[in-house]
Amino acid sequence: MMILFKILAGLALLIFASLLSLLYEGIDRIFHARMQSRLGPPLFQPFYDVLKLLGKENIVPRRAVAWAFNGAPWVAAATALMIVLYVPMGSLQPILGGHGDLILILYLLGLSAVAMAVGGFSSGSVYSNVGAQREMVLMMSYELPLAVVIASLAWFAYRSGMPGDPFSLETYVGMSVWSVAGWTGSFGILGLLIALLAVVPAETGKVPMDIAEAKTEILEGLISEYSGRNLAMFKLAFSIRTLAMCAVVVSLFFPWSLGRLLGFQGVFFFVADFLFFWIKVLVVQVLGVTIIRTTFGRFKIWQASRLYWYQVGGLSLAGMVLLSLDVIL
């Protein structure tokens, strides 16, 4: 019965996350338009786009490797959805929570990006090939600061005696790292937070890191040959990756409980924390994605690579050093 319950709960959560990611994308587009003094699309425009694409024909280019071309969008969307199953939502435990969740999340994010690149390489298009190459270079660039952030937090959680597995998101939800760190450690955590927020646009394919798509340069890049249900899956994968990445940021750095603050108990406690969690995710998405893509223009691939290897990577290493000093001192 427990296995059946987890399967049903997981399916319900995946549907909920898919719909919520599209809703948040609609909010993102409205905020983006208003900051540019435009009216913007309707709130539910992402739903209309996906539904329209689901009803259209899939066209496979003659030069494409059909099985890889058709499979890549589904793998990209499925792996992005899997991340949601390992994220605690407020005071609710994750469906598949356990040991080493953060390591698995890193692999799922990487697999989703690799699946997109495989789809571009297998399409037989020059534009898609260039976009896939850019996606791989970008992924190799931001993986360094991302891995440093995760490893630093896990090491700090272990050395500071935080209860639970240092690689499990439940550990950081149960006890905030801010409450354990001293002054030196707090500055280190702040550096890691900024570094992780800098990675979010690249992980989610948003401006200024939408280099692999680049509409005005390579005509949508790695997805230029996609249509119909395959393109709908790619669009959904981008939305879900944005939601999942922001949810991970909230779980690591902003795990505070609204139900505990207001003194709620029972069902009201879980409902308040669940709603508060998704409000925090929306705030992180607006701050880490919407405002950034409105403020900056698209980077060149060498600029993005240098940024993540030197500035963001250096910031994450500085955060790691400050956390280490906090534990040692």
Side-chain angles (χ1 to χ4, degrees):
M1 289 298 293
M2 182 59 67
I3 295 177
L4 180 61
F5 173 77
K6 284 194 172 186
I7 292 174
L8 294 177
L11 290 175
L13 179 60
L14 295 180
I15 295 172
F16 172 80
S18 301
L19 297 177
L20 189 65
S21 67
L22 294 176
L23 178 63
Y24 279 10
E25 184 181 345
I27 296 174
D28 165 80
R29 293 170 70 173
I30 291 176
F31 271 102
H32 177 62
R34 297 299 168 84
M35 283 188 282
Q36 294 180 330
S37 299
R38 297 186 291 109
L39 181 61
L43 176 62
F44 296 105
Q45 187 62 47
F47 292 93
Y48 305 149
D49 294 340
V50 171
L51 289 175
K52 179 184 70 174
L53 289 171
L54 288 174
K56 288 186 174 294
E57 178 187 1
N58 273 331
I59 299 176
V60 180
R62 284 177 294 182
R63 298 178 59 187
V65 181
W67 66 269
F69 182 83
N70 289 321
W74 296 87
V75 173
T79 50
L81 272 174
M82 284 291 294
I83 298 172
V84 181
L85 299 177
Y86 294 91
V87 177
M89 298 174 187
S91 298
L92 296 176
Q93 295 181 347
I95 303 295
L96 297 179
H99 300 284
D101 296 348
L102 284 172
I103 298 176
L104 180 59
I105 287 173
L106 286 178
Y107 276 102
L108 289 174
L109 286 170
L111 180 57
S112 181
V114 169
M116 292 182 177
V118 169
F121 283 128
S122 64
S123 66
S125 167
V126 175
Y127 297 111
S128 297
N129 191 286
V130 173
Q133 293 179 42
R134 291 183 177 186
E135 180 70 25
M136 295 301 294
V137 171
L138 190 61
M139 186 180 69
M140 288 186 289
S141 302
Y142 66 70
E143 284 294 330
L144 171 64
L146 181 59
V148 171
V149 170
I150 298 302
S152 300
L153 288 175
W155 183 85
F156 179 73
Y158 173 75
R159 290 299 300 269
S160 60
M162 293 175 61
D165 181 3
F167 284 102
S168 174
L169 283 174
E170 291 183 83
T171 300
Y172 303 92
V173 173
M175 177 180 290
S176 171
V177 290
W178 302 98
S179 64
V180 181
W183 283 104
T184 305
S186 296
F187 282 110
I189 295 171
L190 180 61
L192 295 177
L193 171 60
I194 296 173
L196 187 57
L197 288 175
V199 172
V200 171
E203 277 284 8
T204 57
K206 302 292 186 180
V207 178
M209 300 301 172
D210 64 331
I211 309 168
E213 290 78 42
K215 300 177 183 178
T216 56
E217 296 175 23
I218 50 175
L219 308 175
E220 292 284 3
L222 56 83
I223 61 173
S224 62
E225 295 295 332
Y226 280 94
S227 60
R229 291 186 298 276
N230 287 338
L231 183 57
M233 287 299 103
F234 264 138
K235 296 289 187 182
L236 193 59
F238 280 118
S239 296
I240 295 170
R241 284 177 66 178
T242 304
L243 184 77
M245 194 66 191
C246 293
V248 171
V249 173
V250 170
S251 297
L252 288 173
F253 295 98
F254 309 110
W256 304 300
S257 170
L258 180 64
R260 188 176 296 111
L261 178 65
L262 298 178
F264 290 160
Q265 295 181 352
V267 177
F268 294 104
F269 174 78
F270 290 102
V271 171
D273 277 359
F274 182 79
L275 296 177
F276 187 51
F277 172 81
W278 290 114
I279 292 173
K280 290 185 289 184
V281 171
L282 177 60
V283 172
V284 169
Q285 183 168 337
V286 170
L287 295 177
V289 175
T290 310
I291 294 179
I292 297 300
R293 78 188 189 95
T294 307
T295 306
F296 295 95
R298 183 186 304 116
F299 284 16
K300 297 178 181 179
I301 186 62
W302 64 266
Q303 292 175 324
S305 184
R306 177 180 294 180
L307 174 70
Y308 285 119
W309 273 102
Y310 293 102
Q311 283 83 5
V312 180
L315 180 61
S316 62
L317 290 173
M320 180 182 68
V321 171
L322 290 173
L323 277 182
S324 303
L325 292 175
D326 186 79
V327 173
I328 294 172
L329 299 176

